[in-house]
Amino acid sequence: MSRIGKAPIAIPAGVTVTVDEKNNVVTVKGKYGELQQAVNPDLTVTVEDGHIHVTRPSDDREHRAQHGLYRALLHNMVEGVHNRYRKEMELVGVGYRAAATGQVLELQLGFSHAIYIKLPPEISVEAKSERNKNPLIILESSDKQLLGQVCAKIRSLRKPEPYKGKGIKFVGEIIRRKSGKKAGAK
């Protein structure tokens, strides 16, 4: 049996979980919003005494794979509506700037023009700029999947390059650096 799939998910105080058994849709509500996830009809999701249990009908390869997957997705939903997910991104480069107005993120990344990104309403954004520090973009959301997708899109605009380390990177991410050309090599 899947080690991840068989572990029960504890439901914290202030979070309600409902299972629509007809459509096999799980709804999780908390102080930071409401999330829904459709579950494979072969799997069974039950809510008992403050825990969510996911069970599978057989030991088929497909059922084993989906057992752990849906348990992890449901755990991320419960965690997201209870404590939001947070990602911090850093802009490394001369003249790189970020500004957030409402749900629109404006980025200056060394191109001849500014880049404007309209973010989904589920994500809150904040841009910080301090003197002698790299600008920061702070993104928060209860939906881990959506947050990761938006961060990947922002990062793809200017990936960190290995020679000078310029680009958009996550705070704490280590960029493998290359040495470049050797001076006076014969």
Side-chain angles (χ1 to χ4, degrees):
M1 197 168 189
S2 169
R3 290 184 186 161
I4 292 174
K6 69 181 177 184
I9 304 166
I11 302 172
V15 176
T16 59
V17 178
T18 56
V19 180
D20 179 12
E21 294 177 7
K22 181 182 176 193
N23 300 325
N24 228 22
V25 174
V26 178
T27 305
V28 180
K29 292 181 187 174
K31 63 181 177 182
Y32 290 115
E34 176 181 335
L35 297 173
Q36 289 187 336
Q37 175 66 49
V39 179
N40 185 335
D42 293 343
L43 301 177
T44 308
V45 179
T46 56
V47 179
E48 298 171 350
D49 51 273
H51 287 81
I52 303 171
H53 298 279
V54 180
T55 54
R56 64 176 186 235
S58 70
D59 278 342
D60 290 348
R61 184 181 179 97
E62 189 71 22
H63 288 155
R64 285 188 316 218
Q66 292 184 353
H67 189 208
L69 167 75
Y70 283 110
R71 189 264 177 207
L73 291 175
L74 294 176
H75 178 264
N76 289 342
M77 289 168 53
V78 170
E79 188 66 30
V81 297
H82 187 61
N83 310 315
R84 297 184 89 183
Y85 287 103
R86 177 185 176 107
K87 295 267 189 181
E88 295 182 2
M89 303 179 87
E90 186 177 12
L91 279 65
V92 180
V94 177
Y96 286 16
R97 290 191 300 274
T101 51
Q103 290 301 106
V104 177
L105 181 65
E106 178 187 355
L107 298 171
Q108 300 278 336
L109 299 175
F111 298 116
S112 61
H113 58 284
I115 298 170
Y116 296 93
I117 300 173
K118 182 156 177 35
L119 299 172
E122 296 89 7
I123 293 182
S124 63
V125 63
E126 180 185 352
K128 287 185 180 177
S129 296
E130 293 182 27
R131 192 169 176 88
N132 296 329
K133 288 189 178 178
N134 292 328
L136 286 177
I137 302 169
I138 301 167
L139 300 163
E140 287 187 349
S141 178
S142 57
D143 191 347
K144 186 176 186 179
Q145 196 171 345
L146 180 65
L147 182 65
Q149 190 174 354
V150 169
C151 287
K153 176 67 177 167
I154 292 171
R155 190 175 190 269
S156 71
L157 297 172
R158 187 69 96 170
K159 286 187 179 173
E161 53 94 19
Y163 296 103
K164 294 182 182 175
K166 292 170 54 172
I168 302 173
K169 67 179 194 120
F170 292 103
V171 172
E173 180 183 5
I174 297 170
I175 307 297
R176 289 190 59 199
R177 303 290 295 269
K178 294 183 178 178
S179 61
K181 292 182 179 177
K182 301 286 184 200
K186 292 184 180 180

